[in-house]
Amino acid sequence: MTSPPSRTDRFFNFIRRLNSVVLSLLLLAGAGFMAFLWWESRPSAPTGPTAPPQVVDTAAGESETVDLDFTDAERIESARTDMLRLITSTGSVGSYGSRRKDVARNVLFISDGETTGRWLFKDHKNIVHALHELPEASRDANDSETLAIYVEFNAIRAGSQSATHGGPVDVGLARPDGKELTTVLRGVRVLSRRVADGRLHITFQRDAAVWQAEIALADFRESGKRQVAKVPQSL
């Protein structure tokens, strides 16, 4: 007949069982920790750029699906404003026989401290051919103040060829924060421009004549214009 285990034997049996349980828990914790390290060390799946939204463009009288996107912001420091072009894109990148075409349709101005942005045009039915800051003359270009925003554009009309560069354009001026857009010339081909003494000096062709004009950047009013030449009718 086997004698019952003593109190000391029961104590050591309990210790052995407790050690087994603790060891098992440690092994499980170690395995879980290694699995966590493996999961965190996996290379993350590549995330490409977000695809631009697609919209239906009906400005030219026909429906066409285009990609809609913004360019990187250009900072107008003197006006504490960011300027972004709204771009429509058609075609595919790199596809055989196709060519991607990007067209600026509007300009968004975002000024510091304002809760909403401001569009240069009321709608998006224009093509922006050129967009520039007009700084005052200064020895240090970094310290020069922007006097106005200069834009060459066309309104889109059904069947028009407004997107063709080199054709007649309208010329507009706006404040550095995008306010007070004023069309100062219509249907011209700009040949040169410069800023001096607070005025825009611009040379342009309209029909068969070449003109020079001065436009005050303080109020966008024409302060002088003269015809300087006529295009030869024969050679």
Side-chain angles (χ1 to χ4, degrees):
M1 181 174 176
T2 304
S3 60
S6 65
R7 181 177 297 179
T8 302
D9 292 335
R10 289 198 301 271
F11 174 76
F12 281 110
N13 288 336
F14 172 76
I15 294 298
R16 283 195 296 270
R17 292 173 182 172
L18 181 62
N19 287 339
S20 299
V21 172
V22 171
L23 180 60
S24 299
L25 292 176
L26 290 175
L27 290 175
L28 287 174
F33 182 68
M34 294 300 294
F36 172 77
L37 292 179
W38 172 81
W39 182 270
E40 289 295 316
S41 63
R42 291 183 315 142
S44 58
T47 56
T50 303
Q54 291 188 327
V55 299
V56 177
D57 182 10
T58 59
E62 299 180 0
S63 297
E64 181 183 20
T65 301
V66 299
D67 293 338
L68 202 61
D69 207 352
F70 284 100
T71 60
D72 292 340
E74 302 174 45
R75 182 67 175 176
I76 306 173
E77 200 59 53
S78 60
R80 299 175 61 196
T81 297
D82 289 332
M83 179 172 66
L84 303 87
R85 305 174 198 223
L86 178 68
I87 302 293
T88 60
S89 301
T90 55
S92 302
V93 178
S95 61
Y96 180 77
S98 66
R99 187 176 181 182
R100 193 168 181 84
K101 182 173 66 175
D102 296 337
V103 178
R105 296 288 291 271
N106 210 336
V107 187
L108 180 64
F109 292 83
I110 305 174
S111 299
D112 294 355
E114 294 187 357
T115 56
T116 57
R118 180 183 308 103
W119 291 105
L120 183 64
F121 300 103
K122 293 181 179 180
D123 55 38
H124 311 300
K125 301 182 184 298
N126 294 281
I127 293 178
V128 178
H129 298 285
L131 181 71
H132 303 283
E133 297 178 47
L134 296 182
E136 64 179 352
S138 173
R139 292 182 179 179
D140 187 351
N142 295 326
D143 292 336
S144 59
E145 179 182 356
T146 299
L147 300 177
I149 299 297
Y150 171 94
V151 57
E152 296 176 12
F153 67 98
N154 288 116
I156 299 176
R157 298 180 179 87
S160 68
Q161 299 296 321
S162 299
T164 303
H165 288 276
V169 298
D170 295 342
V171 176
L173 296 173
R175 298 301 172 197
D177 59 1
K179 296 178 181 178
E180 300 179 28
L181 174 64
T182 303
T183 302
V184 294
L185 294 171
R186 296 183 183 274
V188 302
R189 178 170 174 255
V190 178
L191 304 176
S192 70
R193 58 177 175 79
R194 63 184 178 88
V195 174
D197 301 324
R199 290 181 171 82
L200 171 64
H201 298 256
I202 187 167
T203 302
F204 60 92
Q205 178 184 342
R206 177 182 285 149
D207 298 327
V210 177
W211 297 78
Q212 285 185 333
E214 295 182 11
I215 300 168
L217 297 179
D219 55 12
F220 301 156
R221 292 184 179 180
E222 188 179 282
S223 56
K225 183 174 69 174
R226 62 192 180 99
Q227 181 178 316
V228 296
K230 287 190 175 182
V231 179
Q233 300 301 305
S234 63
L235 298 176

